[in-house]
Amino acid sequence: MGIASDIVIIVIAALLGGLLAQRLKQPLILGYILAGVIVGPHTGGITVGDTHEIELLSEIGVALLLFALGLEFSLKELQPVRRVALIGAPLQMLLTIAYGFAIGRWWGWEWKTALWFGALISLSSTMVILKTLMSQGRIGTLSSRVMIGMLIVQDLAVVPLMIILPQLNNPQAGLPLLGLAALKAVVFLTLMIVAGTRLLPRLMTYIAGWNSRELFLLAITAIGLGIGYATYLFGLSFAFGAFVAGMVLSESDYGHQALSDIIPVRDLFSLMFFASVGMLLDPAFLLANWDTVLLLVALVAVGKGLIFAVLSRLFGYGNVVPLAVGLGLFQVGEFSFVLARVGVDTQSINTELYALVLTTALITMVLTPLVSGLTAPLYALSKRWFDHEALQTINLPRAGLHDHVIIAGGGRVGQCVAQVLQRLGLGFVIIELDLRRVEQARAASWPVIYGNASQEVVLNAAGIKDAKLLLITTPSIAVTQAIVDQVRRSHPELHIVARAASIEQMHSLHNRGVYEVVQPEFEAGLEITRQALLHLQVPASEIQRFTDAVRRELYVPLYQSRPDYLAITQLQDAARLLDLTWVPLTADSPVVGKSIRELAIRSRAGVSIVSFMRNGALQLNPDAASCFTAGDWVAIIGTAEQITTFQGMVKPVPS
């Protein structure tokens, strides 16, 4: 089967490695790299036949990684920490490169190898840090914002490093080549900004008009890889072109949809890339040099952590921030693998250095959750007690939060609830982890906390002790369960209204003590069924009995705990069955200018007139003296036969 069998082997091995990494609560990329080691040429057993073909295929993974990075890039995310991100991160990379260069020269490496080593260890892991911060409940803290801002700039710096470092192979010709590459990059960027920002959005609008998700996915993949290949033909990096294409698309109306669609394709090809990284690792070499590897890990972790901590302090961040940043960003990141592969492919570094860097990266990634978790106890040593770092809070009332509603999730459902509560003048606060939604809440002047609602520190910041109600609007059952479990441990008396995606999830939440559960798909299905039965002329009383029976069966735990909820539901069902029929009156209608009493509407037609819509104003419950005028819309209630009779009364008489 050739390369097809190799792909099958890698995918199956990556699945097993990913399951193992998930079980050990490690990033999936570590499992993919382990899978590559196992099926690589150095371990025996089931082995990939042609590693070179897999390496070529993995280049698509690199391009899609950077394409997605371009789609995700947003200057808004850098705004709160722009100084330390835009200035501090490049300064950190230069200092770390110098530090790595010094280590390499002390180790006896030639200057070019030492410089490559410094560049490789200067990058930290975005994937590992995000996973660690989320598990620790520190997303939304000031230190997390500093770390994420610096990581974004680091990831962007991969592109120029991929262009510059290979030129070190020929220092004499390097400067002219580098200047030419820079000129080409400027020309390419100019063309993309001028032409791409005009043509690509129009192209995506045209394709989106076909309403074909497959065609849309094919289009964005072709744009990312096609522009990358055009960049390669232009004499620049394939990955650089894909990154620029992503940046251009991110500014269009279809940027978010393009990112959500491309992520599965990116993840699949990224699997190939990380597996190919592992294939180059020789376990025998590592066993023979374990002491060197451990020394290198210690030097990188300590030196890099100190650089981050000192820079954070120099940029004005005090309290726990320097310690948290230093203990969080000491590791070597996944984009170092991308850069290292470029070094191997261009013969800029040898496989020995590659193996050392790869192993250092893996070990530091595994150590990150443990080391980062030491932030609180180490900070507590310098204080009598550890004050939790303040979360980012926006628009919170100065008087504090009292008798309010906590909305966990600021998506469409959460925003709809917030709008209603705001109109009614009821206090509320939103907890949201997505920065874009946080900015939307800020723009609407809603109180919002940037953080994870399943963490105690975030719930305390939301004033859960003084809250009247918690609404969980997120569609993820795992997130909902985590929030419920946390609230039930600390505040078991608080009433919770949650959202479930299925009947099974409803029962699961009921078992956790949540009795107010809404199942949107069920409610939508029941309403569509009601409308269908009405059109099929099923008697209204029969429809009501059916819907009541189905709803009782599903919501029986809720009805048992809240009898008033049953009454409200029955009233809502009854209101739905009182369907109004709106009848327009033209100027030549025979009823125009006459009153309801004069026409004897009730006795002649049998309908009840509920209201008039006249000149944009609604007049409810008109009395018998009310007259009909041209242009009125009349709302009536009655049987189908009665409505037909009334429509005949108001119909103009043919001349």
Side-chain angles (χ1 to χ4, degrees), residues 542-558:
E542 195 69 25
I543 297 175
Q544 184 172 1
R545 281 195 296 270
F546 168 76
T547 55
D548 282 351
V550 175
R551 188 173 277 108
R552 278 175 180 273
E553 181 180 345
L554 183 68
Y555 289 112
V556 63
L558 182 56

Side-chain angles (χ1 to χ4, degrees), residues 402-421:
H402 302 283
D403 297 330
H404 58 289
V405 178
I406 299 175
I407 305 173
R412 286 175 294 182
V413 176
Q415 291 179 11
C416 180
V417 174
Q419 289 174 356
V420 174
L421 294 178

Side-chain angles (χ1 to χ4, degrees), residues 354-399:
Y354 180 90
L356 285 173
V357 172
L358 175 59
T359 311
T360 301
L362 294 178
I363 295 176
T364 54
M365 284 180 175
V366 172
L367 291 176
T368 296
L370 176 63
V371 174
S372 180
L374 297 175
T375 301
L378 289 178
Y379 184 63
L381 292 177
S382 62
K383 300 173 69 73
R384 289 187 176 182
W385 58 85
F386 174 68
D387 295 329
H388 282 295
E389 185 184 353
L391 293 163
Q392 182 183 8
T393 59
I394 302 169
N395 297 328
L396 260 62
R398 294 183 178 180

